[in-house]
Amino acid sequence: MPRIHHGIRANLPQISQQLFQVFLVGLTIGMTRTLVPGLAETEFGLAGQAFLSLSLFVVVFGLVKATMNLLAGRLSDQYGRRSLLISGWLFALPVPLLIFFAQSWWWIIWAMVFLGINQGLCWSMALNSKLDLAHAHQKGLINGLNEFSGYAAVGIAGWVTAALADHYGSREAILGFGLTTIGLGLGLAIWKVIDTQRWAQRHQQNHQKTLNKDSPMETVPLKKMMVSASLKYPQLVALNQAGLVEKFIDALVWVFMPIYLLNQAQTLVQASAIIAIYGVVWGASQLITGPLSDKWGRRGLIVGGFWLCAFASLGFVWVETPLAWSILAGMMGFGMAMLYPTLGAAVADISEPKSRASILGIYRFWRDFGYALGALLMGVIAIYTESIIWPFYFVGIMMLLSGLWVLIALSKPHPIKQLTEMQNDYSNT
């Protein structure tokens, strides 16, 4: 049994394994980013005016992933991080098969159910495991490395599968790419990944000593934690709504950007290349923005990222060249890199180690519920306006307002003060 030492350097082999896991998780969702909307238009006839049906696959994915995020933290405390990681990969196996054999759009919807379970379990466990292994002051760096690995993979997979589809067909590309990726992830999770619960427990023991508390590690009911994090504490409320709204950008890129670019006479490979810029810039830039937030603080990066994404979303439908679309896609990606790991690190800042997995799970619930809510609202707007342009305006306005909320809320009491209030509140129940 390995000895317990915290820190990235002390646990580099296992952290590297976990980073590769999240890279494979990113490849798994990335293979659907342009090919599934492309199938909606070419084989299922949904891109014309059936905007709500088109959005439904992201709505279902978001609801399932949000629910799994909420449960994953508590389940991992009971059954271990590694067990849930393996389970997540097993749930991914039907995804490429359902898409390959799909006879109707409902087969794609069922594939998204399994994909949502996979993403909720595997992405959460890979991140929580790295946070367990790292030092407490390395949260921003760990979030940056995690999201770099995952979202660079999303962009890479979108472009690679589009290129494969150009030669072999969309269904064949997803089947071959998907089974290879999922099989590799499952095999490595079984034979190379270790469980990190003992590292999490040592974090909690160190935290108790810092607070000069000898009280046992009591389990706070998830319902009470959900109410407190979602409604009671202003900073957590602001961070949770920010997580929800930022997924509007990702839902826009997933559902409407491919269709918009295809309608602008771009080929599937050309559209995928533009969208891949968004994912790759997002992923790569988090190597800078993640650790930067540990030094500069969270608020400025979060707010700046929201407003940069807002500008790019509003401007995307005003330009007409691949170069301009590529620049704005890169701006969206960099804005997401500013806000995405920083939001997770900010939530971790005000989470006690013993409840961090659950608090982060609540945050991820609201964040990925943004997929569902955003896709649904954009579908309704597209139907009402009979246009795919207005969802871009809607997302831009929402990103501006959400960034303003964070700007106001995070100027209030220091996170440590709020953490103390939360601990006292929980200990009095």
Side-chain angles (χ1 to χ4, degrees):
M1 185 175 290
R3 297 181 62 185
I4 299 176
H5 296 288
H6 289 124
I8 294 175
R9 182 173 297 177
N11 297 286
L12 187 58
Q14 192 56 216
I15 287 178
S16 298
Q17 282 288 340
Q18 295 287 356
L19 284 172
F20 191 58
Q21 281 287 316
V22 84
F23 181 82
L24 294 171
V25 176
L27 292 180
T28 304
I29 188 174
M31 69 182 183
T32 69
R33 281 302 179 105
T34 50
L35 294 191
V36 169
L39 286 172
E41 182 172 39
T42 59
E43 298 196 25
F44 299 106
L46 296 181
Q49 294 298 321
F51 297 121
L52 199 56
S53 296
L54 175 63
S55 301
L56 185 59
F57 81 99
V58 176
V59 173
V60 170
F61 170 82
L63 289 174
V64 173
K65 186 169 185 252
T67 303
M68 294 312 302
N69 283 337
L70 183 62
L71 299 176
R74 189 56 59 93
L75 289 173
S76 71
D77 291 335
Q78 294 178 333
Y79 301 108
R81 276 57 158 151
R82 179 175 172 271
S83 296
L84 264 66
L85 180 66
I86 293 171
S87 298
W89 282 120
L90 291 172
F91 276 106
L93 286 171
V95 174
L97 296 170
L98 283 167
I99 295 174
F100 180 75
F101 292 108
Q103 300 297 309
S104 71
W105 189 243
W106 287 105
W107 289 55
I108 305 297
I109 300 302
W110 275 109
M112 293 302 107
V113 171
F114 287 104
L115 183 64
I117 297 173
N118 160 257
Q119 296 289 303
L121 292 178
C122 290
W123 203 301
S124 295
M125 291 307 101
L127 175 58
N128 284 338
S129 295
K130 289 190 286 293
L131 288 171
D132 294 340
L133 293 166
H135 285 303
H137 65 268
Q138 294 175 321
K139 292 190 290 290
L141 177 57
I142 285 292
N143 274 277
L145 290 170
N146 187 78
E147 305 310 318
F148 155 72
S149 184
Y151 281 97
V154 170
I156 291 169
W159 182 81
V160 169
T161 52
L164 290 172
D166 201 38
H167 287 85
Y168 304 107
S170 295
R171 294 175 188 250
E172 291 78 6
I174 287 179
L175 182 68
F177 187 89
L179 289 179
T180 300
T181 300
I182 294 164
L184 183 58
L186 178 60
L188 291 174
I190 293 172
W191 286 296
K192 292 295 184 179
V193 170
I194 65 172
D195 196 89
T196 60
Q197 272 188 301
R198 294 190 304 125
W199 280 261
Q201 291 166 358
R202 179 64 63 85
H203 268 305
Q204 179 61 28
Q205 292 167 3
N206 294 339
H207 181 72
Q208 294 290 109
K209 291 177 183 177
T210 301
L211 295 178
N212 295 318
K213 288 186 177 181
D214 297 320
S215 58
M217 294 169 58
E218 300 175 358
T219 300
V220 180
L222 181 60
K223 181 179 178 181
K224 178 174 180 58
M225 206 177 294
M226 180 75 173
V227 171
S228 296
S230 303
L231 299 174
K232 186 171 183 180
Y233 297 101
Q235 290 188 346
L236 271 178
V237 172
L239 294 171
N240 285 328
Q241 70 79 29
L244 183 143
V245 174
E246 58 92 359
K247 279 301 180 187
F248 288 11
I249 281 281
D250 216 30
L252 179 74
V253 171
W254 196 355
V255 181
F256 288 100
M257 189 178 288
I259 302 301
Y260 177 79
L261 291 172
L262 291 174
N263 287 343
Q264 301 300 310
Q266 301 298 295
T267 67
L268 183 62
V269 174
Q270 290 170 331
S272 298
I274 293 170
I275 294 169
I277 292 171
Y278 158 80
V280 171
V281 170
W282 179 359
S285 299
Q286 288 175 113
L287 289 175
I288 301 170
T289 59
L292 197 62
S293 74
D294 289 332
K295 297 180 179 180
W296 286 8
R298 317 296 190 198
R299 187 175 69 151
L301 285 171
I302 294 171
V303 175
F306 267 94
W307 290 350
L308 184 60
C309 285
F311 174 80
S313 179
L314 293 169
F316 199 86
V317 292
W318 282 87
V319 298
E320 298 179 347
T321 66
L323 177 60
W325 289 321
S326 298
I327 291 171
L328 288 170
M331 290 174 60
M332 280 188 191
F334 190 72
M336 291 294 282
M338 292 172 66
L339 67 90
Y340 198 81
T342 315
L343 281 170
V347 174
D349 286 341
I350 48 179
S351 304
E352 201 174 0
K354 69 179 180 182
S355 59
R356 183 173 59 211
S358 294
I359 290 291
L360 284 171
I362 292 167
Y363 162 72
R364 292 192 199 103
F365 166 81
W366 288 117
R367 184 193 68 192
D368 288 317
F369 185 69
Y371 273 127
L373 182 61
L376 180 62
L377 292 174
M378 282 183 269
V380 170
I381 289 170
I383 290 173
Y384 181 76
T385 61
E386 297 184 350
S387 169
I388 57 173
I389 291 177
W390 280 98
F392 286 84
Y393 294 149
F394 166 72
V395 171
I397 293 169
M398 292 303 296
M399 293 293 283
L400 284 171
L401 295 176
S402 184
L404 180 61
W405 188 339
V406 173
L407 179 68
I408 295 170
L410 264 62
S411 65
K412 292 181 180 178
H414 191 275
I416 297 300
K417 179 178 179 181
Q418 187 161 296
L419 173 58
T420 303
E421 292 173 356
M422 290 173 63
Q423 292 165 348
N424 292 336
D425 184 43
Y426 293 153
S427 64
N428 291 332
T429 61

